[in-house]
Amino acid sequence: MLPLERGLVRVLALNAPFHRNYSSHQRSPAVTKSRTLYYPIWLAYAAGLLEKRGFDVDLVDGPGADIDLAAVLERAREQKPELVLVATSTPSINNDIRAATAIKEATGAFTVLVGTHVSATPIESLERAPAVDAVTRREYDWTVLELAETLASGERRDLAKIKGLTWRRRQDARDPGEIVTNPDRPDMADISELPHAAEVYRRHLFSHWKRYFYAITRHPVVTIVTGRGCPYKCTYCLFPQTLTGHGYRKRPVEAVVDEFKYVEKEYPGVQEIFIEDDTLTVDRKRCRALAEALIKAKTKVRYTANARCDVDYETLKLMRRSGLRLLCVGVESADQKILDNVKKQIKVEQIRKFFVDSRRADVLVHGCFMVGNPGETRETLEGTLTFAKELSPDTAQFFPLMVYPGTAAYEWAMKDGLLETNDYDRWLTPEGLHRSVVVRPNLPSEELRRFCDRARREFYLRPTYILQKLKQVSRDRYEARRTAKSFLTFARYLFDKDGGASDAASGASATSATGGTDGHESCGTGSGCAGGASATPLVQLERSPLEPARR
């Protein structure tokens, strides 16, 4: 262990290299066929808060920078951090532990695993990682800040006072230590003091910011959060159940507008901001206030956000005026019993009305359809596909249920003996693509995968859908380029009757030839994946990249 001096410690915050383009900070971590690559947003906020309090932080995103572990280790040896944070996800946990162990051996730094997986499995994770000193539980920004302050003070005995920390009480570096679980940290921390994520990216990730890509947004894009948590309790949703909790905590509207302005100024050529709140529209009054503030500020950059299928027409219309381009919503199923089983708290008729209203408001919709939930049958699968065609969102994705430790869906699969394996490496294919590990006796995973492949083909190759896209691209040069590029990317998956199974056996299928995605990486949590509307083709007119929103 390197000796700690009094004063501010040096911190390395790492999203470890893994598969190329592995997206660890999305709700369903994997490599995707669309090559979606998320910003390391949770790690960035924690790094920014540490910097705000005066700590020297190096934020390194291995997949984003496209570097290997050897490069990370060389950087760590040069900088000699005293505190190391390594982000985790379920499919990458063994890789994350290996990276943390290697850095520990190279630097002797106090090493901590953070993120969704260790939050759900703190003791198991420490037992699997004897070199690691601690893991965090739940939202970790203030936990690692308090840890850094404690290490800087030299009073390691005070580690027991840090809420949200599970750690090893060691006598020396060779001591395996006793695992200690401190009390939980409350979920309701005030997030108004968090820095702008865009400023953190600008300091640490700007050299490769255009590598970050979301299939549903325009590119290049910057991702921010305006609020954390979701009051809804969808059984499959990862972030509220493992990190952010079920209360929606909001940043001040003025701070969000300032961040929009900052992005416009500091990110040349930016096409869009992706608001990654679980459900931006959950507080309708605040959502309208934000839209009005963006209109008043005359911001030009457009935005995409996650929502539920319950937003009223007037709010949609106001958001559209403020620069909203697209809402990503969770439909999941056309069957009301299945929606109730996953605690979606929405009615099929609400979904239909939302799609009608979004079309009237000229707001694009990306619809997510998740199969294999409790109550699923072959009949409900066909009903969902028919519903998707009826709603006709601008883009759609179809995917099998993915379950992760810490979620009610995972507990259901465990209780009913439906988990194929406890080997986290098998949550991915060898290529790093999604792989469902839920095995249903009467509805095999391979059958679900093939249904998703067929659903994708039937949805996108409909004459009515092709006509709607032709009309759209004829009026928008940017959308024409985006659609052409997406089509070339997904053509093999659309026309291959095997759906690309040779590349990703048992994986969630790529689902959009026109900008959709192949996993549920882009859908909100309370929004989950739920939509509905008429069969009228959705034809949306796109504004040019930085054209002012219509007032």
Side-chain angles (χ1 to χ4, degrees):
M1 179 79 63
L2 290 174
L4 286 172
E5 301 176 357
R6 292 184 179 275
L8 299 179
V9 301
R10 295 179 296 279
V11 182
L12 169 62
L14 174 66
N15 187 31
F18 190 31
H19 293 285
R20 191 166 192 263
N21 294 319
Y22 179 76
S23 199
S24 68
H25 279 58
Q26 66 189 40
R27 291 172 177 81
S28 187
V31 176
T32 71
K33 293 172 187 173
S34 63
R35 292 300 179 257
T36 289
L37 182 62
Y38 267 51
Y39 285 89
I41 191 166
W42 303 119
L43 199 61
Y45 276 114
L49 183 61
L50 286 164
E51 288 182 310
K52 188 175 180 180
R53 296 296 183 89
F55 289 93
D56 180 10
V57 181
D58 185 19
L59 172 62
V60 179
D61 181 14
D66 201 16
I67 58 177
D68 59 16
L69 183 59
V72 173
L73 292 174
E74 181 180 356
R75 189 163 172 169
R77 291 187 186 99
E78 290 175 357
Q79 298 191 358
K80 297 181 174 61
E82 296 139 311
L83 173 61
V84 173
L85 313 175
V86 179
T88 67
S89 66
T90 294
S92 66
I93 184 60
N94 292 325
N95 175 79
D96 302 329
I97 289 173
R98 288 191 293 269
T101 301
I103 295 174
K104 175 76 173 183
E105 292 172 351
T107 66
F110 193 95
T111 304
V112 185
L113 299 175
V114 300
T116 56
H117 184 81
V118 296
S119 180
T121 62
I123 294 177
E124 174 195 292
S125 296
L126 272 184
E127 289 176 343
R128 294 163 64 97
V132 170
D133 295 292
V135 303
T136 59
R137 308 190 310 274
R138 310 290 297 177
E139 195 170 59
Y140 57 85
D141 314 70
W142 289 271
T143 301
V144 298
L145 173 61
E146 192 174 341
L147 174 61
E149 292 172 340
T150 300
L151 295 178
S153 73
E155 297 297 328
R156 297 204 175 203
R157 293 170 298 178
D158 291 341
L159 292 178
K161 299 178 181 179
I162 303 173
K163 292 181 179 180
L165 192 72
T166 300
W167 56 289
R168 296 183 190 278
R169 181 182 280 121
R170 305 182 194 264
Q171 298 302 317
D172 55 51
R174 292 172 294 181
D175 181 6
E178 169 197 3
I179 295 178
V180 180
T181 299
N182 294 352
D184 291 337
R185 182 171 295 274
D187 285 335
M188 300 305 292
D190 180 6
I191 67 170
S192 62
E193 69 169 311
L194 290 175
H196 292 342
E199 292 182 355
V200 181
Y201 305 151
R202 186 69 173 79
R203 287 193 295 272
H204 297 279
L205 310 177
F206 194 68
S207 64
H208 53 270
W209 76 280
K210 291 184 180 180
R211 273 185 47 77
Y212 298 104
F213 172 78
Y214 303 76
I216 64 171
T217 69
R218 292 189 166 200
H219 183 265
V221 60
V222 173
T223 301
I224 69 171
V225 166
T226 80
R228 288 186 181 179
C230 179
Y232 295 94
K233 297 184 179 180
C234 305
T235 58
Y236 50 81
C237 196
L238 183 62
F239 292 157
Q241 295 184 79
T242 59
L243 281 183
T244 57
H246 291 292
Y248 186 47
R249 294 159 293 142
K250 297 149 283 190
R251 295 172 56 205
V253 165
E254 298 77 15
V256 177
V257 173
D258 286 345
E259 188 161 15
F260 265 64
K261 291 180 176 179
Y262 178 87
V263 169
E264 288 182 343
K265 179 181 178 182
E266 298 294 335
Y267 288 80
V270 65
Q271 297 291 319
E272 195 154 307
I273 289 175
F274 186 15
I275 297 178
E276 252 286 69
D277 299 20
D278 289 320
T279 312
L280 174 66
T281 55
V282 70
D283 183 337
R284 211 62 52 79
K285 182 178 179 181
R286 188 257 190 175
C287 187
R288 289 193 291 264
L290 175 59
E292 290 168 349
L294 291 171
I295 292 170
K296 184 177 180 180
K298 298 182 179 180
T299 54
K300 297 178 181 179
V301 65
R302 302 164 77 177
Y303 66 98
T304 282
N306 299 313
R308 282 172 57 85
C309 292
D310 60 2
V311 189
D312 63 275
Y313 170 69
E314 293 300 327
T315 300
L316 287 167
K317 187 168 64 172
L318 183 62
M319 293 174 73
R320 175 61 169 151
R321 285 185 57 211
S322 71
L324 174 68
R325 186 185 70 88
L326 179 146
L327 288 177
C328 178
V329 299
V331 179
E332 323 316 356
S333 176
D335 188 87
Q336 188 62 55
K337 288 184 179 179
I338 292 177
L339 295 178
D340 295 342
N341 287 343
V342 299
K343 299 183 180 179
K344 192 71 184 175
Q345 293 185 250
I346 200 165
K347 301 297 182 183
V348 171
E349 286 310 311
Q350 286 179 276
I351 296 172
R352 282 194 169 94
K353 185 177 187 305
F354 166 79
F355 271 79
V356 171
D357 289 342
S358 64
R359 186 170 293 112
R360 288 176 60 206
D362 193 27
V363 173
L364 294 176
V365 176
H366 175 76
C368 309
F369 300 85
M370 180 167 56
V371 302
N373 281 299
E376 194 79 87
T377 65
R378 292 176 179 86
E379 290 73 25
T380 60
L381 289 175
E382 296 304 322
T384 294
L385 177 53
T386 299
F387 194 41
K389 294 174 184 177
E390 172 193 336
L391 302 178
S392 197
D394 186 68
T395 52
Q397 61 191 64
F398 304 85
F399 51 87
L401 169 68
M402 304 289 291
V403 298
Y404 299 97
T407 66
Y410 181 86
E411 293 303 317
W412 160 73
M414 286 280 289
K415 179 182 176 182
D416 287 11
L418 302 179
L419 274 188
E420 174 192 334
T421 178
N422 288 315
D423 180 356
Y424 298 127
D425 287 342
R426 297 188 66 190
W427 258 250
L428 302 175
T429 70
E431 298 82 10
L433 302 173
H434 290 105
R435 182 178 183 276
S436 177
V437 296
V438 180
V439 179
R440 304 158 192 80
N442 299 320
L443 206 58
S445 296
E446 176 64 12
E447 183 174 344
L448 291 177
R449 184 192 67 77
R450 291 186 179 278
F451 168 80
C452 290
D453 293 336
R454 177 169 64 85
R456 179 183 69 247
R457 288 194 299 271
E458 290 190 18
F459 181 88
Y460 283 109
L461 298 181
R462 291 173 296 139
T464 52
Y465 182 81
I466 294 171
L467 178 62
Q468 94 181 34
K469 292 307 293 186
L470 288 174
K471 289 181 178 179
Q472 185 185 67
V473 301
S474 69
R475 302 176 184 183
D476 187 323
R477 286 178 296 176
Y478 184 97
E479 188 65 18
R481 292 193 300 271
R482 193 171 81 98
T483 298
K485 182 178 179 181
S486 297
F487 180 80
L488 291 174
T489 299
F490 287 102
R492 61 180 299 192
Y493 303 114
L494 276 178
F495 296 109
D496 183 355
K497 290 185 178 181
D498 195 29
S502 59
D503 293 334
S506 301
S509 62
T511 58
S512 172
T514 54
T517 51
D518 57 323
H520 35 338
E521 69 270 8
S522 296
C523 294
T525 55
S527 63
C529 277
S534 72
T536 306
L538 179 61
V539 181
Q540 303 294 347
L541 304 183
E542 300 278 24
R543 296 189 296 269
S544 59
L546 287 179
E547 177 187 341
R550 291 177 295 174
R551 306 302 176 189

